[in-house]
Amino acid sequence: MLGSSSSSSCSHHHDQQHQQDQEQLHLQSDLSPPSIYLRQLLLACARSISHSDFTAAHRIATILSSNSSPYGDSSERLIHSFTKALNLRLRLHLPHPPPLSINNDAILQSSYLTLNQITPFIRFSQLTANQAILEAINDDQHINHDIHILDFDITHGVQWPPLMQAIADRRPPPTLRITATGTNLETLRRTGDRLSKFAHSLGLRFRFFPLLLPHHTVDDVINHLSAVLLLPNEILAVNFVLYLHRLLTDRDKLLLVLKKIKSMNPKVVTLAETEANHNHPVFLSRFEEALNYYTAIFDSLEVTLPPNSRERMAVEQVWFGREIADIVMAEGENRRERHERFLSWKTMMKVAGFRNVALSPFALSQARLLLRLHYPSEGYNLDVVNDSFFLGWHNQPLFSVSSWH
């Protein structure tokens, strides 16, 4: 009897508290823009989680869920994505957490291709990396060498056709070989077939080697690097575009990977990464950093695309939604999206024995042209710092690209 009366009074208190929260929300939203207040609630929810006050966090998350939508303006959509991520984290603290539904791989791949079309992020990274590779292999002393590209996580291989075109124009044209890593052998083979057909249409001698890394973990990479075939008459280029952060589960082992790459004597290593610290061990610091970073991403999408754009929704909900969920929800070794800022990568590359190679003025004008032609929004800017390029939205740097030898 005692138990039931105590639980009913507890439930009454909970309802009262929920009502107060709702009243407070309506009161505040009359005084200030709702998105500012909802953002404060997001931070309050994250703070409650960081203090292990899951009752309060759940209460705030309920308010956020009923006051945000994937169809509103950029701040509403951002709040919706972060609320979803917080709810996923809260589910982990239930006595019997329900299984998480993971994004379907086909949907994820489709959103990647859409992301590539509607934002400059991937194209900027790949175009700049290609230019660095091209300039390294066009060095006079290597003009008669064949070319070998080791590409980590090639996905659909959209980076390579423009470079293949440039290589095919060389006289005499060299042979190009790509060793491509991926987690799915079928996807790797399809990518290899597409690139082989394209090479054939250019009259370019081309070979493609799929290297399956089933888990894309640091150990996986270390175990499979010895399978990469190196030939004496080839220049090696290693491409890390938006990939290396996944190996930050173990910094010491990642340094081993980089040192092993250095021992393969590449002519150039290209590195593109998200310019944010989403690898902070303290949840709240990581959450605040992610909130600022993805605010800029969602704002840029808002300005670049028309209202109710289906493509934008797919990219926000699937691609960036998955990143946000991973940064907010996962702890320890389960986290994949371990972005760190350029200065952190610079330190690691130098420890591994690499030196930064300045990207050329031509690479800069080419990247600026890409932004002007395809994304004529005033918000994007391009900065050159430490011989590397930074693509930003207003004052928020978003991505960095650098070249190493």
Side-chain angles (χ1 to χ4, degrees):
M1 240 359 240
L2 186 64
S4 71
S5 97
S6 134
S7 83
S8 74
S9 91
C10 180
S11 132
H12 173 67
H13 173 73
H14 186 276
D15 291 345
Q16 249 186 338
Q17 183 66 54
H18 184 64
Q19 197 178 350
Q20 282 169 5
D21 287 339
Q22 286 285 15
E23 282 165 8
Q24 191 188 11
L25 177 69
H26 292 310
L27 179 69
Q28 286 276 359
S29 59
D30 290 339
L31 301 174
S32 61
S35 62
I36 292 177
Y37 182 57
L38 288 171
R39 198 182 173 93
Q40 289 165 350
L41 275 185
L42 265 184
L43 289 164
C45 185
R47 271 195 293 275
S48 298
I49 287 174
S50 72
H51 296 139
S52 300
D53 186 351
F54 301 116
T55 310
H58 187 77
R59 227 176 29 238
I60 299 168
T62 307
I63 296 170
L64 284 163
S65 297
S66 56
N67 284 278
S68 63
S69 150
Y71 306 104
D73 63 17
S74 64
S75 55
E76 283 177 73
R77 298 193 310 270
L78 178 85
I79 286 159
H80 173 79
S81 286
F82 272 86
T83 302
K84 248 168 86 172
L86 287 168
N87 276 320
L88 285 172
R89 187 171 178 119
L90 285 169
R91 281 164 60 152
L92 301 178
H93 296 286
L94 294 173
H96 305 290
L100 293 173
S101 62
I102 303 302
N103 273 315
N104 177 311
D105 195 48
I107 295 172
L108 204 56
Q109 292 304 323
S110 154
S111 75
Y112 171 85
L113 292 172
T114 307
L115 175 74
N116 191 42
Q117 285 161 358
I118 67 174
T119 72
F121 310 143
I122 295 172
R123 286 167 85 173
F124 157 76
S125 303
Q126 293 181 343
L127 181 80
T128 306
N130 279 357
Q131 189 56 36
I133 292 170
L134 200 60
E135 287 168 13
I137 63 180
N138 279 348
D139 184 337
D140 284 347
Q141 67 190 88
H142 294 103
I143 207 75
N144 294 319
H145 283 58
D146 290 331
I147 297 150
H148 178 198
I149 293 170
L150 172 55
D151 185 19
F152 281 85
D153 202 19
I154 193 168
T155 55
H156 297 278
V158 291
Q159 176 168 350
W160 303 119
L163 185 74
M164 291 163 82
Q165 183 89 57
I167 290 170
D169 291 343
R170 265 175 49 173
R171 288 291 168 263
T175 296
L176 172 65
R177 189 160 69 91
I178 292 181
T179 300
T181 79
T183 52
N184 181 308
L185 196 55
E186 190 49 43
T187 306
L188 279 172
R189 284 187 176 139
R190 278 203 301 269
T191 298
D193 289 347
R194 267 197 309 276
L195 292 175
S196 298
K197 278 181 189 145
F198 184 70
H200 184 72
S201 75
L202 299 173
L204 179 67
R205 288 183 312 236
F206 177 74
R207 283 176 298 162
F208 184 89
F209 288 88
L211 181 61
L212 187 66
L213 301 179
H215 312 293
H216 261 315
T217 59
V218 202
D219 288 328
D220 222 6
V221 175
I222 289 170
N223 294 339
H224 287 82
L225 267 178
S226 53
V228 177
L229 178 67
L230 299 174
L231 298 175
N233 193 43
E234 285 181 334
I235 308 171
L236 175 65
V238 179
N239 189 60
F240 290 121
V241 167
L242 307 178
Y243 171 77
L244 221 44
H245 63 271
R246 294 187 214 163
L247 306 186
L248 274 168
T249 40
D250 188 325
R251 205 173 293 265
D252 293 338
K253 283 184 179 172
L254 172 52
L255 273 170
L256 278 181
V257 169
L258 293 174
K259 284 175 179 170
K260 170 73 178 157
I261 295 284
K262 179 69 182 149
S263 74
M264 294 160 86
N265 196 25
K267 184 76 171 68
V268 61
V269 174
T270 46
L271 174 64
E273 277 296 339
T274 297
E275 184 59 12
N277 183 10
H278 296 147
N279 196 28
H280 203 289
V282 177
F283 164 67
L284 198 56
S285 301
R286 202 165 70 234
F287 185 88
E288 288 172 351
E289 174 95 0
L291 190 57
N292 289 332
Y293 180 83
Y294 289 101
T295 295
I297 293 272
F298 277 52
D299 283 352
S300 72
L301 290 168
E302 175 88 343
V303 174
T304 317
L305 292 156
N308 305 323
S309 157
R310 267 198 193 155
E311 289 84 2
R312 179 180 59 209
M313 201 168 154
V315 162
E316 286 177 350
Q317 295 300 305
V318 180
W319 190 264
F320 291 123
R322 175 191 56 88
E323 285 187 4
I324 291 166
D326 187 78
I327 292 162
V328 171
M329 176 190 73
E331 285 297 345
E333 291 189 2
N334 296 329
R335 229 173 346 104
R336 280 165 54 90
E337 302 302 332
R338 298 174 166 272
H339 310 133
E340 291 196 5
R341 293 208 184 96
F342 174 76
L343 288 177
S344 173
W345 293 112
K346 183 181 179 182
T347 303
M348 271 185 278
M349 292 299 279
K350 289 196 162 175
V351 169
F354 290 98
R355 64 177 175 80
N356 205 182
V357 178
L359 293 159
S360 71
F362 181 77
L364 182 64
S365 59
Q366 187 176 248
R368 287 208 166 114
L369 188 63
L370 169 81
L371 290 178
R372 244 196 339 270
L373 288 179
H374 297 282
Y375 313 96
S377 158
E378 291 302 301
Y380 286 115
N381 53 55
L382 202 51
D383 289 322
V384 184
V385 185
N386 292 323
D387 291 332
S388 306
F389 292 179
F390 292 81
L391 173 64
W393 177 255
H394 293 296
N395 297 325
Q396 174 77 49
L398 299 176
F399 294 89
S400 70
V401 185
S402 52
S403 175
W404 302 84
H405 177 65

